[in-house]
Amino acid sequence: MINSALLSLVQTPPLMVPLRFFLTAPLFGLLFALLLLFASGNPIDLRWDPVTLAMVHALVLGYLSMIMLGAVQQLLPVLLGAQVVQAERVATYLHFIYTLGVVALLIGFAQQSRAALQLALLLLSVAVILFALFTWWSILRSPSRNATAMAFLFSTLSLMITLIMAWITLLRYQFIVPSASVLTDIHLGWGLLGWGMLLIIGVAYQVVPMFQVTAEYPRWFRRWLLPLLLLELLLFTVSKMTSLPILQYSLFSLLLQLLPAALTALFAGITLTLQQRRKRRLADVSLRFWRVAMISLLIASVGWIVVELSLQGGLSEAQGAWWQVRLFLLLLFGVFFSVVSGMLFKIVPFLIWLHLNNSCQQHGAYQGDTPVMGRYIPAYAMQWQYRLQLLALMVLLLAALLLPQLLPLAALLWGGVFVLQEGLMLQALKHYRDFINVLRTTDHGQKTVQG
Amino acid sequence: MSISRVMKGDHQRCDHLFSQMENDANADDSCALNASSQLFFETIEHHFGIEEEILFPLFEERSGLSGGPTVVMCHEHRQMKQLFSQMRRQLEVKALADFLATSDTLLILMGQHNAKEEQILYKMMDSTLADEAVDLLPRLGLPI
């Protein structure tokens, strides 16, 4: 009995391994909301303003990547059967170094401080290398060679390339906050499409069928989508950084702009179809978040294709950039943040249940008494989070497209989203600690009686 | 036909029956729920039985891997069986909201358990028990 408990625990990293990342992320989200609330001017149209860059990185590094780093460490053993080594130690160092790096980066951008930017890149490099080595080592030791393993491999590689591009960009600009360039385009491409989208696709391959009891993604699609997207990113990078004649044809260049959007639209379409035909009729909050994400992805992808084609047909560069920034907002807030919420509301309660159940076994208590998932984050609270997040998304998009005077309201709503998310996770953790305390007291009491 | 294909097919059957049971609970249809839950519990417990009594011992013997992945799988079987008993009690007192909360937990536990079996353990069995598969598969009592 004890052996099996230990083995099971080996397969599941300690609760705080992912949770410390999940609990830190909304704090950066809140920082973004505050920066947006007190921003002077319209940050959406001041893309290269240092404070805007700080806001964007608070979201993509402080919030989104923070959660992704925690999730990968949790999902490696669960989805790939990888035996992770030193999970607690790696998570502690990674979380500390990465968080410091993000804080230094935000200060570097906002204060336009070279020293802070240099420190930030050093810290983030150490964190990313540590994370990549940990992930690749775990995948190598995993017997699983499926598309999700491929996604974890490719997305971690993309994260490293994103960081390398950040180094190249800042070295080129001598650590002065950069403006639009080919280098920043490449950096953005690897960050969003490589690190972000490849990971979402790999996770979706497993969790969409698992959570909603749908059919699996078609085999041809699973096999080809990830390598195609990676190849596309590589060709895009080479075409921008070199002058190889074949890559400079305008038709080829247009294809490189359109292909990823066409592929992500296909991914969104297939996911929505699978969910529509699911066997499980219950439409829980997680499913709703995934649907919002996939509808947003479909709109963002098709929108990207329309903008790129319009640029060929006479749309000015400035108008094109105006639309692209809006599509970027939809991708970030509509796609990535919805998937994150949809995942957190499944993962966090389940992990707490799993760890409590294992603790019961270790303490010799009856495991049937472990409260099930719905007790840690109640369904009605998740519903409120969903409604608030959807409203915040709508108001932000409305502010970006038509009514910039709504931006402060969007900032307040998103601030509310992050506060609520943090509060719900802390409440779940409190339930966990209360239950553990009861177990320990009971256990201690039993031992005292026996003694 | 391989061990992984037959066992994965049985996972899919269990998933289907689980959804039917959950849909009945969600629709508050007690009569249908009694039948669908009984069918789900019987089918999945039969699946566990096949693994624990036939496949796992044989695999452990042939591979020499006792105390490895099969022990973890058996541990998760026990966790799922505890949830089954909770759900049966909740059905008896018609506490359907609690029943759905428990089935939600079961769905994820079952999902990640099945993923590990399908992607790792069954594939190991396919290669370790390749010579015996023809004789072994009819003994499992599953559609081949």
Side-chain angles (χ1 to χ4, degrees):
Chain A
M1 191 66 111
I2 288 168
N3 267 347
S4 68
L6 288 176
L7 273 166
S8 177
L9 289 172
V10 168
Q11 288 238 326
T12 306
L15 182 62
M16 284 314 286
V17 164
L19 221 57
R20 78 185 77 209
F21 291 89
F22 297 166
L23 288 169
T24 309
L27 303 178
F28 282 104
L30 188 60
L31 177 67
F32 152 80
L34 290 173
L35 286 172
L36 181 60
L37 188 62
F38 296 110
S40 54
N42 181 351
I44 295 176
D45 288 323
L46 297 169
R47 190 179 157 194
W48 301 103
D49 183 80
V51 178
T52 308
L53 286 174
M55 284 161 61
V56 169
H57 285 84
L59 285 178
V60 294
L61 290 187
Y63 180 73
L64 191 58
S65 299
M66 183 75 78
I67 290 175
M68 288 160 68
L69 291 180
V72 167
Q73 291 172 78
Q74 177 60 44
L75 293 176
L76 275 171
V78 176
L79 296 186
L80 302 181
Q83 291 274 345
V84 291
V85 285
Q86 302 281 346
E88 177 79 58
R89 185 173 295 180
V90 170
T92 308
Y93 289 134
L94 177 62
H95 176 260
F96 182 70
I97 299 168
Y98 181 78
T99 306
L100 273 187
V102 177
V103 170
L105 187 76
L106 301 187
I107 293 172
F109 277 136
Q111 301 288 319
Q112 302 187 53
S113 154
R114 280 185 194 185
L117 284 176
Q118 285 165 346
L119 177 68
L121 272 192
L122 280 175
L123 288 168
L124 290 174
S125 301
V126 173
V128 168
I129 289 169
L130 177 65
F131 172 71
L133 289 178
F134 176 80
T135 307
W136 294 341
W137 177 244
S138 303
I139 294 172
L140 269 180
R141 286 160 51 98
S142 152
S144 201
R145 290 285 172 269
N146 57 20
T148 302
M150 195 199 294
F152 280 32
L153 202 66
F154 288 177
S155 62
T156 317
L157 177 73
S158 303
L159 179 63
M160 292 201 83
I161 297 176
T162 310
L163 183 77
I164 292 168
M165 292 314 300
W167 269 108
I168 295 175
T169 310
L170 283 173
L171 283 171
R172 176 81 58 89
Y173 284 88
Q174 295 176 331
F175 286 91
I176 295 168
V177 176
S179 59
S181 71
V182 165
L183 293 175
T184 50
D185 281 352
I186 299 172
H187 169 74
L188 191 66
W190 282 100
L192 277 185
L193 189 62
W195 165 232
M197 193 56 72
L198 293 183
L199 192 66
I200 285 190
I201 292 170
V203 170
Y205 284 166
Q206 300 248 357
V207 303
V208 168
M210 192 189 288
F211 288 172
Q212 306 306 335
V213 195
T214 70
E216 290 184 356
Y217 284 81
R219 187 184 286 265
W220 60 268
F221 187 71
R222 273 182 290 163
R223 184 170 296 172
W224 289 108
L225 180 64
L226 295 164
L228 263 179
L229 282 172
L230 188 76
L231 179 70
E232 202 285 331
L233 274 168
L234 286 169
L235 285 176
F236 172 74
T237 307
V238 174
S239 76
K240 291 280 182 185
M241 293 186 80
T242 65
S243 50
L244 281 178
I246 186 171
L247 298 177
Q248 306 309 319
Y249 285 120
S250 60
L251 188 63
F252 193 81
S253 167
L254 180 65
L255 196 66
L256 284 182
Q257 295 284 353
L258 297 184
L259 185 67
L263 291 173
T264 50
L266 186 63
F267 166 70
I270 289 180
T271 308
L272 286 167
T273 310
L274 288 176
Q275 288 174 338
Q276 192 59 34
R277 295 180 187 162
R278 73 192 188 279
K279 290 188 181 126
R280 187 184 196 218
R281 297 322 302 167
L282 205 72
D284 62 13
V285 168
S286 178
L287 173 72
R288 288 178 193 181
F289 270 122
W290 269 93
R291 269 188 185 157
V292 171
M294 291 304 116
I295 290 168
S296 303
L297 182 57
L298 201 56
I299 297 171
S301 306
V302 173
W304 183 269
I305 293 172
V306 171
V307 170
E308 285 297 327
L309 291 175
S310 305
L311 280 169
Q312 305 293 317
L315 189 73
S316 74
E317 286 286 331
Q319 286 170 316
W322 190 92
W323 278 107
Q324 281 168 344
V325 168
R326 272 77 192 160
L327 294 172
F328 168 78
L329 287 177
L330 182 59
L331 194 62
L332 198 59
F333 289 88
V335 181
F336 288 116
F337 290 8
S338 302
V339 167
V340 159
S341 292
M343 289 294 289
L344 282 183
F345 284 142
K346 282 280 182 198
I347 292 181
V348 172
F350 177 71
L351 286 180
I352 289 183
W353 174 83
L354 188 65
H355 284 279
L356 281 182
N357 198 277
N358 286 332
S359 297
C360 276
Q361 186 171 335
Q362 282 180 323
H363 287 80
Y366 174 56
Q367 289 151 273
D369 290 340
T370 318
V372 289
M373 279 165 60
R375 297 289 168 83
Y376 309 114
I377 303 182
Y380 73 85
M382 291 191 208
Q383 290 284 358
W384 276 109
Q385 170 84 31
Y386 171 74
R387 287 177 193 142
L388 182 63
Q389 197 161 329
L390 199 58
L391 180 67
L393 176 65
M394 296 299 172
V395 173
L396 179 73
L397 291 177
L398 197 60
L401 288 169
L402 292 170
L403 302 166
Q405 61 270 33
L406 286 181
L407 263 187
L409 178 63
L412 282 174
L413 288 169
W414 277 104
V417 166
F418 295 123
V419 167
L420 188 57
Q421 194 169 59
E422 180 79 0
L424 291 177
M425 285 194 288
L426 282 175
Q427 191 191 21
L429 186 62
K430 185 179 176 300
H431 281 302
Y432 171 79
R433 295 217 160 121
D434 288 348
F435 197 84
I436 287 285
N437 283 337
V438 170
L439 267 184
R440 282 193 185 135
T441 317
T442 317
D443 190 37
H444 180 70
Q446 278 173 354
K447 278 178 185 160
T448 312
V449 170
Q450 283 164 6
Chain B
M1 189 57 80
S2 63
I3 294 173
S4 23
R5 191 167 288 189
V6 171
M7 295 305 282
K8 191 176 174 181
D10 205 38
H11 279 167
Q12 286 167 347
R13 195 160 26 255
C14 290
D15 286 346
H16 179 74
L17 294 174
F18 172 89
S19 304
Q20 187 58 53
M21 170 183 77
E22 202 187 43
N23 294 345
D24 290 340
N26 196 39
D28 209 1
D29 186 345
S30 295
C31 194
L33 178 59
N34 280 335
S36 56
S37 60
Q38 197 177 341
L39 187 56
F40 167 71
F41 292 138
E42 275 171 12
T43 310
I44 196 164
E45 278 165 354
H46 176 69
H47 181 92
F48 291 169
I50 290 171
E51 291 180 332
E52 289 173 13
E53 286 158 29
I54 304 174
L55 288 177
F56 291 176
L58 195 62
F59 172 74
E60 285 175 3
E61 192 188 318
R62 299 289 189 270
S63 66
L65 275 175
S66 57
T70 48
V71 177
V72 179
M73 292 303 109
C74 289
H75 168 65
E76 290 181 353
H77 286 174
R78 276 196 296 278
Q79 285 182 313
M80 283 190 261
K81 284 175 189 169
Q82 284 153 11
L83 292 177
F84 300 162
S85 348
Q86 271 176 278
M87 289 162 76
R88 282 184 167 120
R89 280 201 307 275
Q90 287 156 346
L91 270 183
E92 278 169 21
V93 295
K94 298 204 184 324
L96 291 192
D98 292 341
F99 178 87
L100 283 170
T102 315
S103 68
D104 199 26
T105 311
L106 175 64
L107 178 63
I108 304 186
L109 184 62
M110 192 166 71
Q112 55 102 36
H113 173 83
N114 291 356
K116 279 186 272 191
E117 285 187 339
E118 288 168 21
Q119 287 162 27
I120 300 157
L121 190 57
Y122 292 162
K123 286 187 177 160
M124 289 163 89
M125 284 180 179
D126 278 342
S127 62
T128 310
L129 305 175
D131 297 340
E132 294 159 83
V134 178
D135 298 327
L136 186 61
L137 288 174
R139 284 171 51 202
L140 304 183
L142 297 174
I144 300 176

